[in-house]
């Protein structure tokens, strides 16, 4: 809870004042003059001999195909040694975790001059249909018994002291058994999320769209469009594009709208879908809350969604659920926090002409970056849902 980490190097100062000693300490800092900002200070950094950073946070493995993990190795003083990508688990679980994945090469050599860096590539594959695990990059410098498994991140903004963070270099490898047929997804960014990167991990081509330009030329060739979290709260131009989007849905498109807030600070527009529904404050904060699934096509094709797909979720089930809706909407999921009444508004589905409209308050923006397999499978069903139904 401190505003910044302790200084890695401090100077102890002792003063004698009127025969008495006064002791204090000050962080050792580097001072320089910026031609624009003037006199600036930054803390002295104490860094490992080498730092290792993995480009991917989550690696989704599908259809028995290996994926590449890219690890960047850096050294300020220069170093040479070996780098490996191995299972990161408690000692009792290492053997099992390593058995889940095949990583080649087992080791890769590096040799860096002072201030140098290089990128090494590892091929990762899974052995089973439901394998998940954490892989950690570990560097060993020749002649040095220590292992180096920390990355290097600098947080540099003019209004705060520079912060240096040394996170553990890990990625989550997830083997997802998933069916999909569509290849291209239009995405309208919202308040900032990592869904587009997750969709690319699944093999979709993501075309980012501007909320102010959703004419026929921009929508041509797209069968599905996804709006980012809170897109309708932060993109006023979307309100003017509602009719164009509904016409596109009516002609055969599938529109997936992720959660939007509805409060006095960020009210949701009155029209989001082709039929009326309202969004309230309903949410389920217990990530292990029981989920009841109806017999509904969106949960059946192309991936059969079961209660097992809601195992391993993080932080919450969802938020800003629909509260009331037109009778033509289907609400195939029901869930609640312990001791509270069941909520059915986490997922709404409605046909509109030849297409479909979907609203979801499920927290996909948390689950997909965390590599939750069931969330990937369910989100793929939302994208794949459409003309055939």
């Amino acid at each position: 809870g401190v505003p910044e980490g302790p200084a890695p190097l401090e100077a102890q100062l002792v003063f004698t004042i009127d025969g008495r000693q006064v002791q204090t300490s000050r962080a050792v800092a580097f001072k320089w003059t910026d031609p624009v900002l003037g006199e600036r200070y930054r803390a002295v950094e104490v860094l490992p001999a080498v730092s290792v950073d993995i480009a991917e946070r989550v690696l989704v493995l599908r259809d028995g195909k290996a994926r590449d993990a890219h690890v960047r190795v850096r050294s300020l003083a220069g170093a040479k040694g070996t780098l490996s990508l191995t299972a990161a688990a408690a000692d009792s679980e290492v053997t099992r975790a390593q058995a889940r994945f095949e990583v080649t090469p087992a080791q890769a050599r590096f040799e860096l001059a002072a201030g140098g860096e290089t990128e090494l590539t590892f091929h990762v594959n899974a052995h089973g249909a439901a394998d998940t695990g954490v892989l950690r990059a570990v560097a060993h410098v020749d002649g040095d018994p220590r292992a180096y498994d920390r990355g290097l991140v600098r947080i540099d903004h003019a209004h705060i002291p520079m912060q240096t963070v040394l996170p553990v270099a890990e990625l989550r490898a997830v083997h997802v058994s998933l069916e999909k047929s569509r290849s291209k997804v239009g995405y309208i960014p919202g308040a900032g999320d990592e869904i587009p990167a997750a969709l690319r991990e699944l093999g979709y081509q993501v075309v980012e769209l501007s909320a102010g330009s959703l004419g026929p030329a921009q929508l041509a060739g797209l069968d599905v469009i996804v709006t980012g979290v809170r897109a309708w709260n932060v993109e006023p131009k979307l309100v003017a594009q509602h009719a164009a989007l509904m016409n596109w849905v009516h002609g055969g498109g599938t529109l997936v709208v992720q959660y939007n807030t509805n409060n006095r600070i960020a009210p949701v527009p009155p029209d989001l879908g082709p039929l009326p529904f309202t969004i309230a404050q309903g949410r389920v904060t217990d990530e292990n809350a029981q989920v009841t699934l109806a017999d509904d096509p969106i949960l059946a094709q192309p991936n059969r969604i079961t209660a097992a797909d809601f195992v391993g979720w993080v932080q919450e089930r969802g938020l800003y659920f629909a509260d009331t809706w037109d009778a033509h909407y289907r609400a195939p999921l029901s869930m609640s926090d312990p001791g509270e009444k069941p909520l059915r508004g986490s997922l709404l589905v409605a046909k509109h002409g030849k297409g479909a409209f979907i609203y979801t308050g499920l927290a996909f923006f948390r689950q997909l970056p965390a590599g939750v397999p069931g969330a990937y499978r369910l989100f793929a069903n939302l994208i794949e849902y459409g003309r055939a139904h």
Side-chain angles (χ1 to χ4, degrees), residues 217-386:
Q218 287 76 26
L219 304 183
L222 294 175
D223 293 323
V224 58
I225 295 175
V226 179
T227 65
V229 295
R230 299 183 55 230
W232 294 82
N233 295 125
V234 300
E235 289 287 358
K237 294 179 180 179
L238 268 181
V239 177
Q241 299 288 349
H242 182 263
L245 284 171
M246 293 305 106
N247 288 336
W248 174 81
V249 171
H250 193 276
T254 298
L255 178 62
V256 181
V257 175
Q258 296 184 82
Y259 94 94
N260 287 264
T261 61
N262 193 17
N263 51 51
R264 64 181 181 83
I265 299 175
V268 73
D271 296 317
L272 288 183
L275 300 164
F277 69 95
T278 61
I279 298 171
Q281 307 292 316
R283 64 177 63 202
V284 175
T285 59
D286 184 350
E287 65 269 30
N288 299 309
Q290 183 177 350
V291 180
T292 302
L293 294 80
D295 183 12
D296 191 278
I298 202 167
L299 303 179
Q301 297 178 6
N303 305 289
R304 172 65 66 176
I305 304 301
T306 69
D309 290 300
F310 290 91
V311 174
W313 284 46
V314 298
Q315 189 162 335
E316 61 188 341
R317 289 292 192 202
L319 64 170
Y320 289 99
F321 291 176
D323 184 45
T324 63
W325 51 86
D326 185 276
H328 291 88
Y329 284 106
R330 308 193 312 274
L333 299 177
S334 176
M335 61 192 74
S336 67
D337 281 321
E340 297 187 2
K341 68 177 183 178
L343 300 176
R344 296 179 55 236
S346 64
L347 181 62
L348 297 184
V349 185
K351 296 172 66 176
H352 181 55
K354 297 179 180 179
F357 173 85
I358 299 168
Y359 174 80
T360 179
L362 293 170
F364 288 111
F365 71 102
R366 299 196 194 281
Q367 313 313 318
L368 300 192
V372 178
Y376 277 108
R377 286 164 44 82
L378 178 53
F379 204 86
N381 275 24
L382 306 189
I383 290 175
E384 301 290 330
Y385 188 82

